[in-house]
Amino acid sequence: MKLLSLSFLLVGFVAVAEIPSNVQNEINLRVKHNINPSIVVGLYENGQSHFYTQGPIEKKQAIAVTKNSVYEIGSITKTFTSLLLATLVQDKKVRLDDAIEDFWPKPFTLKTTENQPINFKHLATHTSGLPRLPYNLMAFSKDPYANYDRNQLIEAINNTEISNTGQYVYSNFAVGLLGETLSVIENKTFNQLIEQVIIKPLNLNHTYMQLDQVPQELMVQGYAGKKPATAWNFKALAAAGSIRSSIEDLLAYGVAYTNSNNPLSQAMQLTTKPHFQQGKLVVGLGWHFNDGVFWHNGGTDGFRSILMVDSKNKKVVAGITNHNINDVEDIVAHLMNPSNPMKKFDIPLSISDEDLIPFIGEYKQIETAKTIQITHKNHKLIFNTRGQKDQTLQFIGEDTFKFGIMKIKVKFNKNEAAEVDSLSLMGWGKPQKYKKTRPMSQ
């Protein structure tokens, strides 16, 4: 899981004025230029929920995503797990400082190298000392969690030396164990518990614990880079990342944390209190805190998601995309606080022939006498230097252009009179500056 700084996912859409136009435009550009196959965002503010969705359910289909389309939300599942724990604490079935091993049939031991027991709070705050993943998980398989069962989990516990308890180490292993422990206590599967205790009471009608529960027409295809990703399935580590949900449900889940009248309000208050601090890192039960906002993100082989809640100002933002690399955390952070900038991608923008004219000319590097010619053809600038093939330049904004197939940029500089007087060549070894020696005819 990546920790955030908050000083800070054929085309269809749901357009509403409350999602700012700059955010809509950014989403449109990212989908249009295949940075993200689809993105869905939700915003709750001033007592109203608003959504913006863009892109197809699958690249080869013309069916647009909607606010009810279902995505993998990955590690946001951990907040559901901790909420389930909080309900058992409320019902006095467990205490946060109870030892985990006390709730499992013997022989089962879970102690540190100093012979200290690991408790529920350790697991929910990532301070147990358990590693990120069990050693016996096939982590690099296409569906790594699908066949990992309770027996393998117990085997991993019995063969893992636990150290650094009391320090933050993000752990799917720990939260998976937490979910299985709650299952043992209640004598029900983890999936049954989440459905009965959280999904149904909160009326999350498009949230699912298993892949085969998702209606085919709502299922979004995930992508690992440019390739379709394998949908993930879970057994014993379900508590760490198994849930699938829609942007409408994910937002509603976040909004419930701002509503003191919901049936899980007291349990939610327990999860969103700080329970551990290490330097600037502040952790609740399953949640992370930053500048008054509690949040969690998620990632699987084909999806990225994030949920942020400002309970004081009753503002909630959520975002999901079906791409494993290009997340939408910057968009969600910007919606939460507009002073947080959105990432800049080198997306080609339109520019008129008239606006291209000032860039045309010959440019010379004083130290080496190398020259670059910038010409104009077919509504594009053409970059030429001796011995090299002509390159078409694509405008990406702020007097900057990029090569079509190489990671090289040309930034044109202006003098005090707002006239182009030089260019900077970036991405071709060290940055190089060329002075404009004369304009060139078109």
Side-chain angles (χ1 to χ4, degrees):
M1 186 201 67
K2 179 175 62 181
L3 296 181
L4 298 181
S5 172
L6 292 181
S7 60
F8 276 53
L9 35 16
L10 178 90
V11 171
F13 65 93
V14 176
V16 292
E18 289 78 3
I19 301 292
S21 59
N22 69 316
V23 172
Q24 294 186 29
N25 292 339
E26 181 64 27
I27 291 171
N28 294 345
L29 282 171
R30 293 188 191 187
V31 172
K32 178 181 178 181
H33 293 280
N34 297 314
I35 292 169
N36 300 84
S38 74
I39 296 174
V40 292
V41 296
L43 167 67
Y44 176 83
E45 191 172 24
N46 300 321
Q48 299 291 322
S49 296
H50 311 286
F51 303 93
Y52 191 79
T53 69
Q54 190 72 272
I57 280 184
E58 186 177 353
K59 287 182 179 181
K60 295 180 180 180
Q61 295 186 17
I63 302 172
V65 293
T66 72
K67 64 181 181 179
N68 294 322
S69 298
V70 176
Y71 294 72
E72 294 177 6
I73 64 169
S75 287
I76 296 177
T77 301
K78 293 179 174 69
T79 68
F80 286 71
T81 305
S82 292
L83 181 56
L84 177 61
L85 167 63
T87 65
L88 269 68
V89 172
Q90 267 194 298
D91 294 340
K92 303 188 185 308
K93 295 180 179 180
V94 302
R95 296 178 304 174
L96 290 179
D97 60 358
D98 282 341
I100 296 297
E101 63 182 24
D102 291 346
F103 296 88
W104 282 81
K106 304 300 180 187
F108 178 102
T109 58
L110 185 65
K111 288 185 170 70
T112 68
T113 51
E114 292 79 26
N115 205 37
Q116 295 299 310
I118 302 300
N119 61 37
F120 286 98
K121 185 176 176 180
H122 287 137
L123 298 184
T125 57
H126 300 285
T127 57
S128 67
L130 286 169
R132 185 182 185 95
L133 297 170
Y135 75 90
N136 55 352
L137 178 76
M138 302 296 289
F140 297 103
S141 63
K142 289 185 177 181
D143 195 1
Y145 298 92
N147 298 310
Y148 193 84
D149 61 21
R150 185 176 289 182
N151 289 333
Q152 290 172 291
L153 180 65
I154 293 172
E155 177 190 340
I157 291 166
N158 291 335
N159 290 280
T160 297
E161 186 174 282
I162 301 174
S163 58
N164 298 319
T165 301
Q167 297 183 34
Y168 181 92
V169 178
Y170 188 80
S171 177
N172 288 347
F173 189 177
V175 181
L177 173 60
L178 174 58
E180 284 298 281
T181 304
L182 301 178
S183 175
V184 169
I185 293 169
E186 294 292 84
N187 195 28
K188 294 180 180 178
T189 68
F190 175 76
N191 290 353
Q192 289 171 334
L193 290 171
I194 294 296
E195 288 171 350
Q196 293 171 11
V197 177
I198 301 175
I199 291 176
K200 290 181 179 178
L202 295 182
N203 296 314
L204 304 178
N205 297 318
H206 293 108
T207 298
Y208 306 93
M209 300 305 299
Q210 295 179 180
L211 178 62
D212 59 10
Q213 295 176 319
V214 183
Q216 186 64 37
E217 67 272 15
L218 297 180
M219 194 181 302
V220 178
Q221 172 64 53
Y223 290 89
K226 295 181 180 180
K227 297 180 179 180
T230 301
W232 277 6
N233 298 277
F234 291 79
K235 285 186 177 178
L237 296 179
S242 65
I243 293 178
R244 293 171 168 83
S245 190
S246 67
I247 192 64
E248 182 174 48
D249 275 11
L250 185 57
L251 188 71
Y253 171 66
V255 170
Y257 282 83
T258 71
N259 178 9
S260 59
N261 295 320
N262 88 72
L264 297 171
S265 176
Q266 290 186 2
M268 288 178 168
Q269 289 176 30
L270 178 61
T271 66
T272 54
K273 288 167 51 178
H275 287 272
F276 175 79
Q277 184 166 356
Q278 182 176 300
K280 294 182 179 180
L281 174 70
V282 182
V283 182
L285 301 179
W287 292 97
H288 296 78
F289 296 83
N290 198 313
D291 294 339
V293 172
F294 55 89
W295 62 273
H296 210 295
N297 55 9
T300 64
D301 192 40
F303 298 86
R304 288 289 181 270
S305 59
I306 184 165
L307 174 63
M308 295 182 179
V309 182
D310 180 347
S311 57
K312 180 181 178 181
N313 295 304
K314 295 187 181 298
K315 183 174 183 179
V316 183
V317 191
I320 323 174
T321 183
N322 55 334
H323 196 271
N324 70 327
I325 299 172
N326 298 325
D327 61 57
V328 291
E329 294 178 2
D330 61 310
I331 293 175
V332 171
H334 179 78
L335 282 170
M336 178 58 76
N337 181 350
S339 68
N340 294 317
M342 291 185 283
K343 288 185 291 193
K344 289 187 176 181
F345 289 89
D346 294 336
I347 296 174
L349 304 173
S350 61
I351 184 171
S352 68
D353 286 342
E354 182 180 0
D355 289 335
L356 290 174
I357 291 173
F359 304 117
I360 298 170
E362 183 178 84
Y363 296 78
K364 185 175 182 179
Q365 190 177 44
I366 303 302
E367 299 85 353
T368 64
K370 291 180 181 177
T371 60
I372 292 172
Q373 285 78 39
I374 302 296
T375 58
H376 180 221
K377 182 179 180 182
N378 297 330
H379 314 293
K380 300 282 187 181
L381 290 184
I382 306 298
F383 175 102
N384 175 266
T385 187
R386 179 178 292 181
Q388 300 292 330
K389 183 180 178 181
D390 287 359
Q391 296 291 332
T392 299
L393 299 181
Q394 298 175 335
F395 179 59
I396 57 174
E398 300 180 353
D399 297 332
T400 303
F401 296 74
K402 70 172 184 176
F403 282 29
I405 58 173
M406 292 184 282
K407 294 182 178 181
I408 297 173
K409 297 179 185 178
V410 178
K411 173 74 168 70
F412 292 92
N413 310 302
K414 293 180 179 179
N415 58 25
E416 293 180 356
E419 298 169 334
V420 176
D421 66 353
S422 64
L423 68 77
S424 299
L425 184 63
M426 299 168 289
W428 201 330
K430 294 181 179 180
Q432 304 171 32
K433 191 169 184 178
Y434 290 73
K435 186 175 179 60
K436 192 173 188 179
T437 54
R438 61 184 175 87
M440 187 175 293
S441 60
Q442 299 180 54

